[in-house]
Amino acid sequence: MARKSLLKFAEADLMLKLNRAERLPLRRRCAFRVAYALAVSGGAHVLARVESGLLSGKLKSLLSRRNLEALYSALARLPPQEKIAIVHSFPPWIVRKLAERLQLSEVERLVRACSRRTIWVRVNELKTSVQRVSKALEKVTAVRKDKDFPELLELVGVEDPPFEVLKLAEKGLLLIQDKGSVAVAHALEPRAGLRVLDAAAAPGVKTSLIQQLAGNEAEVVAVDAFRSRVEEMKTLLSKLGVRNVHITVADSASLKLARKFERVLLDAPCTNSGAIASDPALRLALWEEPDVDRYAKLQASMLENSLQHLERGGLLVYSTCSFLSEEGERVVDAALQPERLDPSGVLGVNGYAGFSCSPWVRRLFPHLHRTTGFFIARYKND
């Protein structure tokens, strides 16, 4: 019910506006959003459940066939970008920015794909095997092995993880991790014996995959600026059986370490606009445009400092879970020489056109790769 409401709240709000009821108190507006989602999805028989004390008879009467037809007529008259945003409850400013980089028909396919969540689970091979986990999951749902990453499984035909998945996750045998996130860790090419800096590590999901791929034999320094998130990371890494990770609370925009590293991962803080498919609540949280420039400046300073810790001949991966060029191509163009970017073997398509780095970076999209939206740049310090 919550998912349906989040996918339809913008239409519900437009109906309130058309009927001059947009100034409702938040609790009543939310109740109407739920009622609207139920009505248009064929769940009218349960509308009474949201009526008590919140949804008045007057508000419920707005869900008439005549009002629905008026709403659809109003939607048809909207400019194309605004219509895409309202119909899919997708932040209008993101639709606008996507339309600056992609054909509008592709923007609509991307936005539509964000309404369907693909559940990926990454088997923790530090504690179990893909075969064992796959066999356990096949008792509750169809499972498909991923063709790109051997430790990754897709749960077929579900949009929420079954209880069995949560039980296995609690035991540290698997994690719910998007394929795009897995692709970032693989792009780093971690292996035993290497010194690795994870410059924005919490909550530790990619950190744990780095050590999984290295058989717990890399030496990892994991840095994050927030102590509460670092404590979460400690708990997660312990549950997963991850070793050889030195955890520190520090700001990677100003961090100064005496040593350099053969691998540096900067999965930078960002707007998280690329994660809307996996977290429908971001449709509401990002409805109003955040301060993108503030994120971009932070990413640039963190990338500049991370480069100072990269050993000669080493490899740095910069990534953001974002659809925005401001958090991807623009940051890379300002900081990294395109001739040192190496996309070979990195999953995805070329970056947005119009930037020097475009052919040498990769983007992942929900409508093309069934992942969250990710930007990935891999830099070799030759």
Side-chain angles (χ1 to χ4, degrees), residues 44-202:
H45 61 289
V46 294
L47 286 180
R49 295 182 184 179
V50 296
E51 183 175 353
S52 56
L54 287 176
L55 193 64
S56 66
K58 182 178 180 181
L59 282 179
K60 194 173 178 181
S61 70
L62 295 183
L63 299 172
S64 66
R65 181 180 296 274
R66 189 177 74 172
N67 279 341
L68 284 171
E69 289 174 351
L71 172 67
Y72 297 147
S73 177
L75 286 170
R77 295 192 300 270
L78 291 176
Q81 291 185 27
E82 187 177 352
K83 181 180 178 181
I84 290 172
I86 299 297
V87 167
H88 299 285
S89 294
F90 206 87
W93 65 275
I94 301 180
V95 173
R96 173 175 52 82
K97 286 183 176 292
L98 285 169
E100 293 171 359
R101 301 295 169 192
L102 304 170
Q103 294 290 328
L104 194 61
S105 58
E106 185 169 15
V107 173
E108 186 162 19
R109 289 197 301 272
L110 187 161
V111 169
R112 190 184 302 276
C114 286
S115 297
R116 303 183 299 271
R117 182 186 180 191
T118 301
I119 302 292
W120 300 98
V121 296
R122 190 252 292 179
V123 178
N124 179 21
E125 293 176 296
L126 295 174
K127 297 185 76 171
T128 187
S129 68
V130 173
Q131 183 179 6
R132 289 177 182 173
V133 170
S134 182
K135 187 175 181 179
L137 293 180
E138 285 170 354
K139 296 176 182 178
V140 293
T141 187
V143 176
R144 182 185 296 137
K145 293 183 179 179
D146 183 58
K147 62 182 177 61
D148 297 302
F149 306 118
E151 71 278 9
L152 197 61
L153 301 173
E154 178 190 354
L155 306 188
V156 181
V158 297
E159 290 197 48
D160 292 295
F163 183 63
E164 182 67 24
V165 171
L166 304 181
K167 289 198 300 182
L168 293 174
E170 184 59 32
K171 295 176 181 178
L173 302 181
L174 60 75
L175 300 90
I176 299 170
Q177 183 176 4
D178 183 74
K179 184 175 179 177
S181 174
V182 171
V184 170
H186 273 268
L188 194 66
E189 296 182 1
R191 61 177 185 267
L194 295 181
R195 297 185 304 278
V196 182
L197 173 63
D198 190 346

Side-chain angles (χ1 to χ4, degrees), residues 209-239:
L209 181 51
I210 288 170
Q211 279 297 51
Q212 178 174 321
L213 295 174
N216 260 340
E217 295 297 330
E219 183 182 357
V220 180
V221 174
V223 180
D224 202 89
F226 298 96
R227 187 171 297 279
S228 60
R229 285 167 56 82
V230 165
E231 292 304 317
E232 291 177 23
M233 177 165 56
K234 289 178 180 179
T235 300
L236 177 66
L237 297 184
S238 176
K239 180 170 67 174

Side-chain angles (χ1 to χ4, degrees), residues 184-361:
V184 170
H186 273 268
L188 194 66
E189 296 182 1
R191 61 177 185 267
L194 295 181
R195 297 185 304 278
V196 182
L197 173 63
D198 190 346
V205 174
K206 294 182 186 70
T207 315
S208 68
L209 181 51
I210 288 170
Q211 279 297 51
Q212 178 174 321
L213 295 174
N216 260 340
E217 295 297 330
E219 183 182 357
V220 180
V221 174
V223 180
D224 202 89
F226 298 96
R227 187 171 297 279
S228 60
R229 285 167 56 82
V230 165
E231 292 304 317
E232 291 177 23
M233 177 165 56
K234 289 178 180 179
T235 300
L236 177 66
L237 297 184
S238 176
K239 180 170 67 174
L240 296 176
V242 177
R243 302 191 305 273
N244 296 331
V245 177
H246 312 285
I247 300 173
T248 184
V249 179
D251 183 355
S252 286
S254 56
L255 179 71
K256 299 298 178 186
L257 298 175
R259 66 192 310 185
K260 295 195 174 186
F261 298 82
E262 293 146 312
R263 297 286 188 272
V264 175
L265 173 60
L266 175 57
D267 185 51
C270 66
T271 58
N272 223 23
S273 56
I276 289 177
S278 60
D279 184 357
L282 287 170
R283 296 168 187 271
L284 270 174
L286 292 177
W287 192 256
E288 300 295 332
E289 184 173 356
D291 189 348
V292 177
D293 287 342
R294 180 177 67 85
Y295 280 107
K297 289 175 182 177
L298 175 61
Q299 291 151 7
S301 62
M302 293 179 75
L303 179 54
E304 180 181 359
N305 196 49
S306 295
L307 285 168
Q308 303 304 311
H309 292 90
L310 183 62
E311 190 172 277
R312 190 77 173 174
L315 195 65
L316 177 144
V317 171
Y318 168 78
S319 64
T320 54
C321 185
S322 173
F323 290 127
L324 310 182
S325 60
E326 293 91 333
E327 300 186 289
E329 290 84 355
R330 288 185 184 177
V331 173
V332 168
D333 265 7
L336 304 178
Q337 304 97 313
E339 64 272 14
R340 292 189 178 181
L341 293 169
D342 176 22
S344 55
V346 180
L347 193 67
V349 296
N350 288 359
Y352 295 135
F355 298 91
S356 299
C357 68
S358 297
W360 315 110
V361 297

